[in-house]
Amino acid sequence: MVMEKRQGREVLGLFFVLMIFSCIRIGEAQSKSFLINCGTDSSVTVDGRKWVGDLVPNNNLTLSSTGVAVNTSTLSGDSIVGPLYKSARIVTDGLNYTFKMVPGNYIVRLHFCPFPFENYNINESSFSVVANGLKLLSQLSVPGEISHKNMYLQNSGGNGSFFLVKEYILGINLDELLIELIPNKGSFGFINAIDIVPVADKLFPDSISKVGGNDVNFNLSGRGIETMHRLNVGGPEIKPNQDSDLWRTWEVDSSYMITANAGSEIRNSSNITYSSLNDSSVAPLFVYETARTMSNTEVLEKRFNMSWKFEVDPDFDYLVRLHFCELVYDKANQRIFRIYINNRTAANNFDIFVQAGGMNRAYHQDYFDAVSSKIDTLWIQLGPDTAAGASGTDALLNGLEIFKLSRNGNLAYVERYDSAGSSGSRSKNWILWVGIAAGIASVAILLVIFILVFYICKNRREKSSDAKNNSPGWRPFFLPRAFVNGTNNAKGTGFQNTNGSLASSRVGKRFTLAEIRAATNNFDDSLVIGVGGFGKVYKGVIEDGSLAAIKRANPQSEQGLAEFETEIEMLSKLRHRHLVSLIGFCEEQNEMILVYEYMANGTLRSHLFGSNLLPLTWKQRLDVCIAAARGLHYLHTGAERGIIHRDVKTTNILLDENFVAKMSDFGLSKTGPAMDHTHVSTAVKGSFGYLDPEYFMRQQLTEKSDVYSFGVVLFEVVCARAVINPTLPKDEINLAEWAMKRQRQRSLETIIDPHLQGGYCPESLEKYGEIAEKCLDDEGKNRPMMGEVLWHLEYVLQLHEAWMQNNNGQCSFSSSQALGEVEAKDAKEVATLDEEKNSSNLKMEVEE
Ligand SMILES: *[C@@H]1O[C@H](CO)[C@@H](O)[C@H](O)[C@H]1NC(C)=O
Ligand SMILES: *[C@@H]1O[C@H](CO)[C@@H](O)[C@H](O)[C@H]1NC(C)=O
Ligand SMILES: *[C@@H]1O[C@H](CO)[C@@H](O)[C@H](O)[C@H]1NC(C)=O
Ligand SMILES: *[C@@H]1O[C@H](CO)[C@@H](O)[C@H](O)[C@H]1NC(C)=O
Ligand SMILES: *[C@@H]1O[C@H](CO)[C@@H](O)[C@H](O)[C@H]1NC(C)=O
Ligand SMILES: *[C@@H]1O[C@H](CO)[C@@H](O)[C@H](O)[C@H]1NC(C)=O
Ligand SMILES: *[C@@H]1O[C@H](CO)[C@@H](O)[C@H](O)[C@H]1NC(C)=O
Ligand SMILES: *[C@@H]1O[C@H](CO)[C@@H](O)[C@H](O)[C@H]1NC(C)=O
Ligand SMILES: *[C@@H]1O[C@H](CO)[C@@H](O)[C@H](O)[C@H]1NC(C)=O
Ligand SMILES: *[C@@H]1O[C@H](CO)[C@@H](O)[C@H](O)[C@H]1NC(C)=O
Ligand SMILES: *[C@@H]1O[C@H](CO)[C@@H](O)[C@H](O)[C@H]1NC(C)=O
């Protein structure tokens, strides 16, 4: 056991002082740490700390029984994360750990790392944990805890295993701490390690401001605290061994931010001091060296908030602690802002310089907020205070912590759907899943029929052209059936009237049929690079010498001219670096021809599998995904009315000669969610394997359907296999299902493209998987917007690039050099993003 020497202090007050969670200790008695390695009689050293086996004789620790000790010498397999988690104690009938200790405040962390052992399927574990009567966890099922609610949920980085650490701050007013592990009936519990660290200084004040109210007296006596989130805003992760004696982890904040590029990172480590000497254990100075500011106010809309969003448990009180340090201004009244918590004002007129008493002064401010039973998120927002006369509209934040406060002796979150029985939640889920499965099955049968018909027709048409065409996987742009079918009256009236209206509208270049014939060698079949429902696509050289993809409607196509014109008009308004652009069109002698920019490297799919092209690197794949996400984001938000692509897939992501990816086939996309055709073939558009099940079932089209399909693309990119492959075992046929299963198990890396092996930053893959997982949420409303997806992907790329630079296998910003580079890169990224936004806005204005 490690004994950490701490200075004792004399008791000055009355006995009750002891009871109110003060940190004062009696006489010379010293609070000590306990670092317990469960289920073994041997000890391990991690980060310079010695974790002592719980079977090592110790006067100050007693076990009520031994349960089942598990150590990895009896295990095979590589699912074990680190030396600390090589042993565990499995509890079948309840087990008490009793620690003899000095009363005071302690941080208690419980470590869980599931691995298979004999007949115990750790996945089936379900148990509660109670500490001195305070319920910490209820019906914990560790795999069920995989959610980003848990800041300490860590992936092992490569082997698909993960571990979970729950952190509590407990005021212990007895001379012992009794931790009870109580399995649910018929189940069992387990634990891998326990660490208990004394908190020498007072971490929480007696009085605290309540959001939307006056200051309240705040008394932690009799309450426990659970750490929900702890962020080092604008900086790298701070590891436990960098955080004084408390061994806390400070996460990176960017994945909690709501708006991409709403804040930029700043850093200055010179000469920071605590504004109050009592604060030295509140947070390490590292936290204050980095920050996020709203420095993009010039570029973006003047009035916006920097916003972070967290998942929290409903029906609890929370303490939100914000850490500030003014790193830039050396006088007051330069940076004044408002703080909002869950959309209510927590502070007005906030000037860090004034609050902290100067520049480079580490300062923190606490807020108390009650979260009702209907709310499971906590929003923290900082925005300009227009009422204040600050010289600049800007805000700054260095760190953030969210603590959950116990209620009625309980800190455990009991799921809403929880029923009395231990298996209640599971069985309800099960029923839900059966229901969904039945729904999907019936729709799937219809779809299979549809697809069979589709394939038979398509194969007939494609056979002739595929033989001629070996260009890498180039596939036709499919026009929408609405476009192809058209309406009959348009056919009759459109033609005569259109010349005038088209000529006057600002659309792409109008080509003559002669020009098109010249470009395509009179529609030479050897130039065909694709065939679709609309007709053939030719590779051609237009008169300025540049290559173009020329899409010619079948002469027998029922496409109406009116629709053709509407499409052209819409398509030519959509200009973006990551959308394949329409160069022009030709409309002569009943011909309807669209001329697009030529994409030399064909479809993304052809670079992933099924061809002998060189496999793309992880970075290339990330670049492609980011580009495609930008294109989609623009479609969804850039145009006046959001445009839904409706057919996002890897054959609709094309690569130019520099491997810059662009979305194609968006013309078909309907504007807005209204569907004006009820014709069967237009009812569900999209491609099997990419289809949003919600859209499928409800026929309700939103941009979240594109997000779903994009999630499938993300998995396809990393797994490099077809989204539907009927030759595989049953549970692997559908990539979306299979990859999601692995992703939920945090073992995506077991199914990724073998070409990526060793060439990717594991942490980046982990985040990537999380993004894809969110995109594939069953409910559209829970899926992120494309803008968020984009932001997260950029973060993934940064992780990977930092890793490439370090190239020592460590996927973290551990060296400050790498950090600097990442920051510089980030600033550049943000700048290009803004540029892009500006220029596309500009274009929209010019063209409308
Ligand atoms: C694992 O268990 C075996 C016997 O079951 C024991 O000999 C060995 O010391 C244990 N190893 C550890 C690390 O506890
Ligand atoms: C148990 O705690 C007492 C003081 O609380 C200390 O003197 C003693 O060394 C501890 N024993 C062990 C084995 O840590
Ligand atoms: C992952 O597994 C490999 C062997 O399959 C092993 O060498 C490696 O140490 C494992 N990594 C971790 C973090 O456990
Ligand atoms: C653990 O301690 C509690 C409280 O003293 C007691 O009720 C319970 O029976 C104990 N459990 C075991 C397994 O000893
Ligand atoms: C906190 O509450 C305890 C009991 O609930 C009480 O004895 C103590 O005086 C309170 N302390 C403060 C500072 O209000
Ligand atoms: C950091 O802050 C100091 C003043 O505290 C200032 O002199 C220095 O220029 C700053 N460095 C950077 C890189 O902003
Ligand atoms: C650091 O801070 C101290 C006290 O605030 C000040 O006296 C000293 O000049 C500062 N040093 C630098 C380099 O800014
Ligand atoms: C710091 O702690 C001391 C007692 O430990 C107390 O008297 C003082 O008021 C505290 N200062 C602040 C700023 O809280
Ligand atoms: C705060 O506002 C956002 C967006 O305006 C909303 O999504 C969120 O649910 C609101 N939060 C609460 C607690 O009302
Ligand atoms: C910032 O957030 C608050 C609370 O959600 C909201 O009332 C306010 O309108 C927002 N400000 C801007 C500029 O969006
Ligand atoms: C537990 O579940 C995970 C993911 O759900 C799975 O990978 C693992 O094989 C399961 N373990 C056992 C022993 O069933």
Side-chain angles (χ1 to χ4, degrees):
M1 174 164 329
V2 167
M3 317 221 320
E4 289 190 10
K5 298 231 168 200
R6 252 153 238 289
Q7 241 170 345
R9 288 190 202 150
E10 294 295 322
V11 171
L12 299 172
L14 298 165
F15 180 69
F16 79 80
V17 173
L18 223 173
M19 307 291 285
I20 60 166
F21 283 36
S22 83
C23 54
I24 297 166
R25 273 158 270 115
I26 305 168
E28 294 302 311
Q30 287 170 340
S31 303
K32 289 185 301 290
S33 298
F34 287 85
L35 301 173
I36 305 298
N37 186 16
C38 301
T40 177
D41 56 4
S42 63
S43 304
V44 294
T45 301
V46 180
D47 278 345
R49 296 205 292 171
K50 187 173 175 205
W51 297 71
V52 181
D54 63 0
L55 291 178
V56 174
N58 182 335
N59 300 334
N60 299 328
L61 168 63
T62 37
L63 275 65
S64 65
S65 65
T66 51
V68 184
V70 185
N71 74 40
T72 47
S73 57
T74 59
L75 296 177
S76 60
D78 41 63
S79 58
I80 310 305
V81 188
L84 182 54
Y85 301 139
K86 285 199 158 142
S87 63
R89 187 167 294 286
I90 288 180
V91 180
T92 47
D93 324 304
L95 172 63
N96 290 352
Y97 277 96
T98 309
F99 299 89
K100 289 253 167 294
M101 60 200 332
V102 176
N105 289 349
Y106 291 85
I107 291 183
V108 175
R109 297 189 189 94
L110 308 175
H111 301 243
F112 305 98
C113 177
F115 52 74
F117 177 70
E118 289 176 2
N119 303 330
Y120 300 100
N121 181 347
I122 294 285
N123 294 349
E124 310 271 290
S125 69
S126 175
F127 57 105
S128 301
V129 180
V130 177
N132 278 7
L134 176 72
K135 196 161 204 171
L136 303 183
L137 286 165
S138 179
Q139 299 181 10
L140 175 77
S141 149
V142 170
E145 284 282 306
I146 303 178
S147 92
H148 51 281
K149 256 189 232 173
N150 291 299
M151 59 167 294
Y152 276 112
L153 179 73
Q154 307 273 339
N155 201 305
S156 71
N159 292 358
S161 37
F162 61 89
F163 60 95
L164 173 70
V165 181
K166 294 291 235 175
E167 181 186 285
Y168 303 92
I169 301 168
L170 305 178
I172 293 164
N173 43 22
L174 306 171
D175 58 2
E176 67 172 30
L177 169 63
L178 169 65
I179 296 183
E180 300 173 65
L181 296 171
I182 308 163
N184 290 332
K185 252 206 167 62
S187 187
F188 65 95
F190 72 100
I191 188 153
N192 298 73
I194 303 173
D195 84 270
I196 300 175
V197 188
V199 180
D201 299 308
K202 190 164 175 165
L203 279 186
F204 299 99
D206 299 329
S207 165
I208 182 168
S209 20
K210 182 174 177 165
V211 178
N214 301 322
D215 287 8
V216 290
N217 277 338
F218 185 64
N219 189 346
L220 281 175
S221 177
R223 287 182 119 168
I225 294 180
E226 177 180 350
T227 311
M228 298 295 282
H229 298 280
R230 180 178 287 132
L231 308 183
N232 180 21
V233 175
E237 179 180 287
I238 296 175
K239 301 247 191 274
N241 56 2
Q242 296 171 294
D243 184 13
S244 63
D245 303 330
L246 297 180
W247 303 89
R248 291 168 295 199
T249 297
W250 299 74
E251 275 189 300
V252 171
D253 74 309
S254 51
S255 61
Y256 295 95
M257 288 201 78
I258 291 171
T259 327
N261 73 7
S264 61
E265 297 175 4
I266 63 167
R267 177 189 177 92
N268 190 332
S269 49
S270 65
N271 215 15
I272 293 173
T273 51
Y274 290 105
S275 62
S276 161
L277 285 178
N278 300 4
D279 283 354
S280 56
S281 56
V282 164
L285 285 176
F286 285 130
V287 170
Y288 300 98
E289 291 177 0
T290 59
R292 205 175 274 288
T293 64
M294 288 176 38
S295 58
N296 285 324
T297 32
E298 302 310 316
V299 187
L300 293 169
E301 210 187 333
K302 273 263 185 252
R303 311 195 53 222
F304 78 101
N305 291 323
M306 267 199 296
S307 311
W308 293 262
K309 181 182 159 190
F310 303 89
E311 278 190 34
V312 295
D313 298 331
D315 219 6
F316 279 98
D317 296 332
Y318 289 88
L319 192 156
V320 175
R321 169 164 290 180
L322 303 176
H323 299 268
F324 300 104
C325 179
E326 178 54 70
L327 297 173
V328 179
Y329 297 117
D330 59 359
K331 51 180 185 288
N333 218 27
Q334 303 301 299
R335 193 195 307 268
I336 296 184
F337 54 93
R338 272 191 198 164
I339 301 169
Y340 306 93
I341 295 176
N342 263 357
N343 303 346
R344 291 182 303 157
T345 306
N348 277 318
N349 214 352
F350 198 88
D351 186 337
I352 301 169
F353 188 94
V354 172
Q355 299 283 340
M359 182 188 183
N360 290 339
R361 309 269 282 163
Y363 172 78
H364 69 275
Q365 179 78 45
D366 295 331
Y367 298 99
F368 176 94
D369 195 20
V371 169
S372 80
S373 58
K374 293 188 191 69
I375 293 174
D376 58 2
T377 56
L378 199 55
W379 290 56
I380 315 281
Q381 295 172 289
L382 305 185
D385 192 337
T386 42
S391 57
T393 53
D394 203 353
L396 177 149
L397 185 65
N398 303 66
L400 187 159
E401 289 173 283
I402 297 176
F403 300 103
K404 178 169 80 175
L405 309 174
S406 67
R407 245 186 206 183
N408 308 325
N410 181 43
L411 262 178
Y413 173 53
V414 180
E415 301 271 350
R416 276 144 296 185
Y417 51 72
D418 197 19
S419 62
S422 64
S423 61
S425 60
R426 247 182 234 149
S427 60
K428 279 205 183 141
N429 263 345
W430 174 237
I431 290 165
L432 182 68
W433 277 108
V434 170
I436 291 175
I440 290 179
S442 52
V443 180
I445 290 169
L446 285 177
L447 196 75
V448 165
I449 296 170
F450 169 75
I451 284 180
L452 279 179
V453 173
F454 178 79
Y455 263 98
I456 291 166
C457 301
K458 189 166 169 239
N459 277 347
R460 264 196 222 139
R461 269 187 272 129
E462 279 187 352
K463 260 193 188 119
S464 57
S465 68
D466 272 356
K468 292 179 203 118
N469 142 38
N470 285 329
S471 127
W474 174 275
R475 284 289 180 288
F477 304 88
F478 285 103
L479 280 182
R481 269 153 214 101
F483 193 21
V484 175
N485 294 338
T487 50
N488 290 329
N489 57 5
K491 232 163 126 188
T493 57
F495 195 45
Q496 295 87 337
N497 303 338
T498 46
N499 283 344
S501 72
L502 262 184
S504 62
S505 53
R506 284 158 297 178
V507 294
K509 176 177 161 54
R510 174 190 284 268
F511 289 87
T512 64
L513 189 55
E515 282 171 323
I516 298 287
R517 284 190 191 283
T520 58
N521 201 5
N522 199 14
F523 300 115
D524 186 343
D525 270 352
S526 70
L527 293 176
V528 170
I529 49 175
V531 180
F534 175 73
K536 289 179 179 169
V537 183
Y538 299 84
K539 176 178 171 179
V541 185
I542 53 178
E543 94 269 69
D544 66 355
S546 59
L547 283 169
I550 297 174
K551 187 167 10 175
R552 180 195 196 192
N554 283 328
Q556 62 271 51
S557 154
E558 291 183 15
Q559 165 67 41
L561 217 47
E563 280 93 330
F564 183 64
E565 283 157 14
T566 325
E567 288 293 327
I568 291 174
E569 200 165 345
M570 189 181 86
L571 288 180
S572 33
K573 276 183 197 164
L574 292 170
R575 300 231 174 253
H576 187 271
R577 200 150 67 89
H578 299 294
L579 296 181
V580 173
S581 32
L582 182 72
I583 299 173
F585 65 96
C586 167
E587 182 206 19
E588 239 180 84
Q589 298 173 24
N590 273 331
E591 291 276 4
M592 286 175 287
I593 295 167
L594 294 171
V595 181
Y596 287 95
E597 70 176 304
Y598 180 72
M599 300 292 286
N601 275 308
T603 67
L604 168 59
R605 188 184 203 260
S606 66
H607 294 272
L608 292 174
F609 56 93
S611 73
N612 35 27
L613 297 169
L614 272 182
L616 300 176
T617 64
W618 182 230
K619 179 173 165 7
Q620 279 176 314
R621 293 180 206 214
L622 291 177
D623 284 336
V624 164
C625 294
I626 287 171
R630 286 214 176 123
L632 279 175
H633 178 55
Y634 173 77
L635 280 180
H636 290 174
T637 60
E640 225 166 72
R641 274 176 77 195
I643 291 173
I644 299 166
H645 187 295
R646 299 218 285 165
D647 201 8
V648 175
K649 54 182 175 182
T650 49
T651 46
N652 277 337
I653 298 172
L654 305 180
L655 306 178
D656 73 10
E657 66 280 9
N658 301 318
F659 284 89
V660 173
K662 306 189 183 199
M663 292 302 308
S664 78
D665 201 22
F666 44 86
L668 346 173
S669 341
K670 285 255 179 322
T671 4
M675 304 241 299
D676 45 13
H677 284 79
T678 47
H679 193 271
V680 178
S681 61
T682 62
V684 173
K685 181 182 151 29
S687 302
F688 196 36
Y690 295 96
L691 261 188
D692 170 12
E694 197 180 51
Y695 165 41
F696 208 175
M697 282 185 277
R698 300 215 200 130
Q699 308 248 322
Q700 243 173 24
L701 187 63
T702 70
E703 65 275 303
K704 293 298 181 69
S705 304
D706 283 354
V707 173
Y708 182 92
S709 308
F710 189 75
V712 180
V713 166
L714 289 179
F715 279 132
E716 188 179 346
V717 163
V718 73
C719 299
R721 51 152 281 192
V723 291
I724 301 290
N725 183 347
T727 64
L728 291 173
K730 207 165 108 209
D731 59 336
E732 300 181 14
I733 290 177
N734 185 332
L735 173 64
E737 273 173 36
W738 188 49
M740 273 298 268
K741 195 168 155 215
R742 293 301 178 105
Q743 171 58 25
R744 289 204 187 96
Q745 297 164 356
R746 292 298 182 267
S747 61
L748 184 62
E749 64 283 356
T750 56
I751 60 167
I752 65 171
D753 186 356
H755 292 114
L756 291 174
Q757 253 358 303
Y760 66 91
C761 156
E763 199 186 333
S764 73
L765 179 68
E766 183 190 325
K767 293 275 178 220
Y768 181 96
E770 284 166 13
I771 301 164
E773 182 181 0
K774 282 184 195 145
C775 291
L776 293 192
D777 198 290
D778 294 315
E779 287 186 76
K781 67 176 164 46
N782 297 335
R783 294 175 206 148
M785 304 291 287
M786 276 319 294
E788 289 171 65
V789 175
L790 172 58
W791 169 252
H792 288 294
L793 284 173
E794 283 174 337
Y795 173 61
V796 167
L797 180 62
Q798 279 176 33
L799 284 176
H800 178 61
E801 287 183 334
W803 177 83
M804 299 269 284
Q805 264 152 14
N806 283 355
N807 215 12
N808 55 6
Q810 294 289 308
C811 182
S812 67
F813 303 123
S814 46
S815 83
S816 54
Q817 183 213 354
L819 177 72
E821 277 156 10
V822 166
E823 273 172 5
K825 162 91 180 38
D826 199 35
K828 216 173 77 204
E829 279 276 322
V830 166
T832 36
L833 213 73
D834 292 333
E835 228 171 77
E836 210 168 281
K837 189 170 168 145
N838 277 354
S839 65
S840 49
N841 282 343
L842 217 69
K843 266 204 183 100
M844 295 299 296
E845 277 160 28
V846 169
E847 288 180 11
E848 271 160 30

